[in-house]
Amino acid sequence: MHSSALLVALVCFPALGALVLAALPRLERGAAVGIGAGIALVELVGVALLAVGYQPNGAVYQDASTKVLAAPFGLTWQVGVDGIAVLLIALTAIVVPLAILGAPERH
């Protein structure tokens, strides 16, 4: 997978997973936690690939992707990562599965 496609997938995959979970409101808690944890772990693998491919001495924004969505309105989609963004994305990708799997059930 090309690196810019990987970054777009890392943005869209959790949103898609949230839509799937929202579409299944009667899902049992254990199944919902399993699906959420699976999505978070796949995201963690993707972020690990992104972090390994990051070059600290490279361009300011790496893995950049730009798509024009509606030219007459000036609407574009632009994503890219710099050094601090890679660290924050990695931190989030580590914390989310831990929070999903480690949160106690509340009644």
Side-chain angles (χ1 to χ4, degrees):
M1 178 179 288
H2 189 264
S3 58
S4 63
L6 175 62
L7 187 58
V8 171
L10 289 174
V11 171
C12 296
F13 186 64
L16 181 63
L19 288 175
V20 167
L21 286 174
L24 303 169
R26 300 215 186 270
L27 195 61
E28 290 183 21
R29 183 190 184 281
V33 167
I35 292 171
I39 290 168
L41 292 174
V42 168
E43 188 80 4
L44 180 61
V45 170
V47 170
L49 292 173
L50 180 73
V52 167
Y54 183 78
Q55 298 173 350
N57 296 327
V60 174
Y61 289 106
Q62 296 180 25
D63 305 317
S65 175
T66 302
K67 299 288 181 199
V68 176
L69 299 178
F73 300 108
L75 187 60
T76 61
W77 162 273
Q78 294 180 321
V79 292
V81 294
D82 60 358
I84 192 72
V86 169
L87 294 174
L88 293 173
I89 292 168
L91 177 64
T92 302
I94 292 168
V95 168
V96 169
L98 292 175
I100 290 172
L101 295 173
E105 183 175 349
R106 296 184 183 196
H107 297 282

